[in-house]
Amino acid sequence: APWHLMMSLTPARGCLLDLPWEDILVPHILCHLPLQQLLSLQRVSKSFQSLIQLYLANMRCFDSSQIGPAIPRAAFVNLLKDNEVLQQLALQNCSDWLTDRELLPVIRQNYHLHQIQLKGCAQLSRDALVAISLSCPNLRRLSLAHCEWVDSLSLRSLADHCKTLEAVDLTACRQLKDEAICYLVQKCSRLKSLSLAVNANVGDVAVEEIARCCPELEHLDLTGCLRVKNDSIRVLAEYCSKLRSLKVKHCHNVAESSLSILRNRGVELDVEPPLQRALVLLQDVVGFAPFINLQI
């Protein structure tokens, strides 16, 4: 409905654009339109172009996926060049062209950012994470999944400057080892969600430090962390009373003997209970045991 309203009320009719731009049009009308349609509105007239530029300069959230399958480099730079009030930044479908050159100016001029999504942005460097840590002291959520350029030095910078972090996704950041993760959780004890999935360098030392330093932890993803074993899962169960979900699929050294503690507490796990338990339950209900050779 807002779209049809705007297209029918042209500047010549003296209605829509006579309304206060910053008090009415930007916060109460334009905010209901998809970003892609707003960009199309710029072609209506010079007045509309100025209005949309004002909107872009005051935009609090930017999600590149709203524009289409892929956002051109020049369009990204132009859209955010005047914005200094961003709070949420999600960059998807940008991995082919997004580098430090395009990202760093946006980061450095947006002090209020509290949520950043850079999943799969493979052409960035450690300088991007250092810039985030220095420019975004209020950062609460950060996704760096599949960003293999993240190293221990840049992660230490993040930990030193962004101590209000609540959610960090480090999936497939394969340069990181136990020492870097330990430093992060020692500095960022408010973490509620952490993913270390697909990292064969992460082991018990990191998991035990997470348990001891992050009492508010609710979600932990250790999928494919082959060095994680039973002992650290027991420590996790002991210290993290608020844990709601744990992913340990493909952690071959984690067994039911440690998971059962969490399972009995109602923690959501991504691995099913062992077959033995299901068969015992079946025997209790039906009254006989299937002829399956179980080695318990």
Side-chain angles (χ1 to χ4, degrees):
W3 169 256
H4 295 296
L5 172 65
M6 297 188 75
M7 295 306 293
S8 63
L9 295 174
T10 62
R13 298 175 66 174
C15 294
L16 182 66
L17 294 180
D18 287 341
L19 294 172
W21 287 14
E22 292 190 45
D23 295 332
I24 301 297
L25 293 184
V26 170
H28 298 294
I29 295 181
L30 297 187
C31 63
H32 296 292
L33 296 177
L35 185 57
Q36 193 168 22
Q37 291 186 349
L38 286 173
L39 298 181
S40 299
L41 269 177
Q42 294 184 100
R43 298 193 290 268
V44 173
S45 69
K46 288 185 177 180
S47 295
F48 267 112
Q49 184 179 19
S50 298
L51 174 61
I52 300 308
Q53 287 176 347
L54 176 65
Y55 173 82
L56 294 172
N58 289 277
M59 193 165 45
R60 298 297 196 272
C61 304
F62 179 81
D63 186 342
S64 62
S65 66
Q66 294 180 3
I67 296 179
I71 175 176
R73 181 200 311 256
F76 170 78
V77 173
N78 186 61
L79 287 174
L80 296 180
K81 61 183 175 61
D82 298 322
N83 193 306
E84 297 181 359
V85 294
L86 272 182
Q87 295 179 4
Q88 299 179 32
L89 177 64
L91 298 178
Q92 305 171 61
N93 305 317
C94 304
S95 58
D96 292 339
W97 57 265
L98 184 67
T99 67
D100 293 353
R101 182 176 180 179
E102 293 78 34
L103 180 64
L104 264 58
V106 176
I107 296 298
R108 287 170 176 162
Q109 69 190 33
N110 281 283
Y111 179 85
H112 300 288
L113 276 166
H114 60 74
Q115 184 170 325
I116 300 176
Q117 161 70 268
L118 296 175
K119 180 180 179 180
C121 293
Q123 295 194 53
L124 299 175
S125 76
R126 67 164 64 161
D127 293 340
L129 186 53
V130 172
I132 289 171
S133 65
L134 295 177
S135 303
C136 308
N138 302 312
L139 193 65
R140 294 201 300 270
R141 304 183 67 86
L142 176 63
S143 174
L144 298 168
H146 302 282
C147 293
E148 297 196 21
W149 45 266
V150 177
D151 61 8
S152 58
L153 182 63
S154 56
L155 194 70
R156 287 176 72 93
S157 179
L158 179 73
D160 284 336
H161 296 93
C162 299
K163 297 180 181 179
T164 60
L165 278 167
E166 295 179 359
V168 180
D169 189 345
L170 298 172
T171 298
C173 293
R174 295 186 177 92
Q175 289 195 59
L176 301 177
K177 299 181 180 179
D178 282 349
E179 182 181 3
I181 303 303
C182 289
Y183 192 87
L184 173 68
V185 298
Q186 288 165 4
K187 297 287 186 175
C188 302
S189 58
R190 300 184 187 180
L191 280 174
K192 295 182 179 180
S193 177
L194 178 63
S195 175
L196 303 173
V198 200
N199 191 335
N201 293 318
V202 171
D204 286 343
V205 172
V207 176
E208 291 181 14
E209 195 67 14
I210 292 168
R212 294 188 175 98
C213 294
C214 302
E216 303 297 317
L217 192 69
E218 297 178 2
H219 307 283
L220 179 62
D221 190 346
L222 300 173
T223 303
C225 294
L226 304 178
R227 294 177 55 231
V228 174
K229 302 181 181 66
N230 276 330
D231 289 346
S232 62
I233 301 300
R234 291 193 183 97
V235 174
L236 192 70
E238 179 182 355
Y239 283 90
C240 295
S241 60
K242 297 184 180 180
L243 194 67
R244 294 167 52 193
S245 71
L246 173 66
K247 295 183 178 181
V248 288
K249 190 172 288 185
H250 307 302
C251 295
H252 304 304
N253 294 312
V254 175
E256 183 64 19
S257 58
S258 60
L259 292 178
S260 61
I261 304 170
L262 293 167
R263 201 185 300 279
N264 293 336
R265 244 172 48 196
V267 175
E268 180 183 344
L269 303 175
D270 64 341
V271 291
E272 295 296 329
L275 179 61
Q276 297 96 307
R277 181 168 299 182
L279 291 175
V280 170
L281 178 62
L282 179 62
Q283 181 180 6
D284 292 341
V285 173
V286 180
F288 68 95
F291 293 99
I292 299 178
N293 181 21
L294 297 179
Q295 296 184 12
I296 302 176

